[in-house]
Amino acid sequence: MVFGEQEYPEETRLKYRYLDLRREKLQKNMKMRSDVVASMRRRMWDQGFREFQTPIITASSPEGARDFLVPSRLHPGKFYALPQAPQQFKQLIMVSGYDKYFQIAPCFRDEDPRADRSPTDFYQLDLEMSFVDQQDIFDTIQPVLTGVFEEFGGGRKVDQTWEQISYRDAALWYGSDKPDLRNPIRMPPATCGRVKIVGLSSCRLCWPHTALISCSSSDKSPMSQQRHCPSFSLLG
């Protein structure tokens, strides 16, 4: 074990990765990842799911990012693709009569780095279910995630009831389909004939990619107060 959390340049850490991985923080992270995956597996098995694996070397299929390609030795000039997500195989398994299953699936995507995923590959919990509706999916995944956070959250409180927000309400209230509910601020609705955008730069201090609005209308009738402004839009 290497103690201490001194910061070194990334090039140095990668060159001596075998020493970097001996650091106490990274040792804990590696062990926690293993334990979290095992916990998710147990919780899915307890709900009657089976775990299936799908091939890594496959044909390219349309996805949201660019593929990583692997040249074929047996077929010169042809290429395999690493799966961005095993969509075709998942559909094949489902129509073959396996009504529900899951996998901890590796996903390979040639895309720009994000704050919450690595730039080349990442793993995700994939689950497939037949003859279900949206609420069945919520009821299946909520106890899995709740249990994982209770087990590895360091004693933090975990909400047992999850608020369900429609896409329409999320767009109207927060300007995003994945709002951070730790910020309770909701955008006010525009209900007048004209909308004027004001205070854009100062508003960014409290909520990104939105703008404060100021409404004015010469029509003071009750009907005008009920009418949603057709020209209202979010600006970032």
Side-chain angles (χ1 to χ4, degrees):
M1 182 76 73
V2 175
F3 295 94
E5 294 298 328
Q6 296 90 345
E7 290 299 326
Y8 297 97
E10 185 175 11
E11 293 81 3
T12 302
R13 293 180 59 190
L14 292 176
K15 182 177 180 179
Y16 300 100
R17 191 61 166 170
Y18 58 94
L19 293 177
D20 189 44
L21 290 174
R22 288 175 173 263
R23 297 166 65 189
E24 186 175 11
K25 180 179 179 180
L26 294 184
Q27 290 270 319
K28 290 180 178 179
N29 288 348
M30 295 284 284
K31 293 175 182 176
M32 175 175 285
R33 183 192 185 280
S34 176
D35 293 342
V36 167
V37 171
S39 178
M40 288 192 296
R41 282 194 166 106
R42 287 194 302 269
R43 298 175 193 281
M44 296 302 293
W45 291 334
D46 290 343
Q47 296 192 60
F49 282 78
R50 293 291 179 265
E51 182 176 10
F52 299 142
Q53 298 298 327
T54 52
I56 297 298
I57 298 296
T58 181
S60 178
S61 61
E63 300 284 351
R66 293 177 295 272
D67 290 321
F68 285 110
L69 301 179
V70 179
S72 170
R73 177 181 62 85
L74 298 177
H75 305 281
K78 306 276 186 188
F79 295 84
Y80 298 106
L82 301 182
Q84 298 184 34
Q87 299 293 345
Q88 293 177 329
F89 295 112
K90 290 192 295 185
Q91 295 164 6
L92 175 63
I93 293 174
M94 296 303 291
V95 300
S96 299
Y98 301 93
D99 61 339
K100 60 181 183 180
Y101 84 98
F102 79 98
Q103 61 181 148
I104 309 297
C107 302
F108 303 91
R109 297 179 183 177
D110 183 7
E111 60 185 2
D112 295 334
R114 303 187 190 182
D116 58 352
R117 73 169 54 159
S118 62
T120 56
D121 61 281
F122 60 93
Y123 287 77
Q124 64 186 24
L125 172 61
D126 263 4
L127 62 93
E128 297 290 328
M129 302 169 64
S130 297
F131 309 111
V132 295
D133 56 28
Q134 178 176 270
Q135 191 60 46
D136 293 322
I137 303 296
F138 292 153
D139 294 341
T140 297
I141 200 63
Q142 179 174 338
V144 175
L145 297 183
T146 299
V148 167
F149 280 103
E150 286 176 338
E151 186 175 352
F152 300 99
R156 296 179 179 86
K157 181 180 180 296
V158 179
D159 293 335
Q160 298 301 314
T161 302
W162 292 9
E163 183 179 1
Q164 296 183 13
I165 305 174
S166 67
Y167 178 87
R168 177 183 181 277
D169 288 341
L172 286 175
W173 296 343
Y174 307 105
S176 170
D177 61 352
K178 50 182 185 300
D180 186 345
L181 298 183
R182 292 173 297 181
N183 188 334
I185 299 176
R186 292 184 179 182
M187 296 184 298
T191 56
C192 66
R194 291 179 293 170
V195 174
K196 178 182 178 182
I197 304 297
V198 298
L200 183 60
S201 60
S202 62
C203 182
R204 283 180 174 171
L205 297 176
C206 62
W207 194 255
H209 311 307
T210 61
L212 298 177
I213 58 174
S214 173
C215 302
S216 61
S217 175
S218 59
D219 184 0
K220 303 299 183 180
S221 65
M223 183 61 69
S224 70
Q225 305 303 318
Q226 303 279 339
R227 186 175 65 246
H228 286 281
C229 178
S231 61
F232 173 68
S233 62
L234 298 178
L235 301 179

